[in-house]
Amino acid sequence: MTRPSTPPVAILLAGGLGTRFDAAGRRNKLLAPLPGDPLNRPVALASAHALLAALPRVIAVVRPDSAELENVLLQAGCEVVMSHATKRGMGATLSAGINAAVDEDPPPGLEHLDGWLVALADMPYIHPNTLRAVANGLTSPEAIVAPSYQGQRGHPVAFGAAYTSRLAALDGDIGARDLLISEHITIVDVDDAGIVRDIDTPDDLR
């Protein structure tokens, strides 16, 4: 009997320094209140809630000095990985999240995993339906799926299980850019401007 596949695991990248938001590093943009949010949630919490509404498992990767952010994400329901790899950039941060899942003994359901959905914690406006649409686009282990809004490709990006080892080997700040250049990408058109809207500077919160 064939076992059903397991939905993709979401990797929430929350380890950046956010120097464009605060060059001195005193304010973490991911903990800034999201304007207009009825629950007054911080940026990262809104991003995490959207992922958790769409997928059963979310692994957030944060810097080791981010105890407050870790607590916020744990209370939301994320698994949190605190990793020094975040200092090396987005690729190393993503690798830390993938390896945290793969290194479990035994890894529950990973042999039947649909893949990975890679999301950025500073993109809090993405709708859960968009996340589901991207995840549902993983129709084969070799698939890569990205959303598009009015012709502009955005985030998050989903990778089929065939890319697990390559994602786990990433390092530095390149992220999965090479895969997105060299491999075929399935585009899912969505009516969601949140896929191209991130929080880089304080003005983005006004």
Side-chain angles (χ1 to χ4, degrees):
M1 179 177 177
T2 302
R3 289 180 57 185
S5 62
T6 301
V9 173
I11 306 293
L12 182 63
L13 305 183
L17 290 172
T19 54
R20 290 182 60 192
F21 190 86
D22 179 8
R26 288 187 293 267
R27 291 186 299 159
N28 187 334
K29 67 178 181 180
L30 299 181
L31 293 171
L34 194 61
D37 187 273
L39 302 177
N40 199 35
R41 294 174 298 177
V43 170
L45 183 57
S47 299
H49 279 165
L51 285 169
L52 290 161
L55 293 170
R57 188 178 183 196
V58 178
I59 299 176
V61 188
V62 305
R63 300 195 311 271
D65 59 351
S66 302
E68 183 179 356
L69 179 59
E70 176 194 25
N71 186 54
V72 165
L73 294 172
L74 282 172
Q75 289 190 12
C78 299
E79 301 169 41
V80 178
V81 176
M82 300 189 85
S83 176
H84 289 284
T86 55
K87 298 177 181 179
R88 301 200 302 274
M90 188 177 294
T93 303
L94 173 54
S95 174
I98 299 289
N99 282 298
V102 173
D103 286 348
E104 291 185 358
D105 187 24
L110 282 178
E111 67 274 24
H112 303 282
L113 187 69
D114 275 356
W116 311 91
L117 188 139
V118 181
L120 307 180
D122 64 355
M123 299 189 72
Y125 298 109
I126 301 174
H127 196 278
N129 284 342
T130 296
L131 301 171
R132 294 186 190 100
V134 174
N136 290 339
L138 288 177
T139 56
S140 77
E142 294 79 23
I144 298 178
V145 185
S148 176
Y149 172 72
Q150 296 184 356
Q152 185 176 358
R153 200 174 80 191
H155 293 277
V157 179
F159 297 86
Y163 294 99
T164 298
S165 61
R166 293 170 70 177
L167 295 173
L170 291 174
D171 202 355
D173 200 33
I174 300 300
R177 193 179 310 158
D178 287 348
L179 288 176
L180 298 179
I181 293 173
S182 63
E183 305 291 331
H184 172 73
I185 300 175
T186 299
I187 299 297
V188 177
D189 290 319
V190 297
D191 186 19
D192 185 355
I195 70 162
V196 294
R197 185 180 179 190
D198 61 359
I199 305 299
D200 271 342
T201 70
D203 285 341
D204 293 329
L205 289 171
R206 299 190 181 112

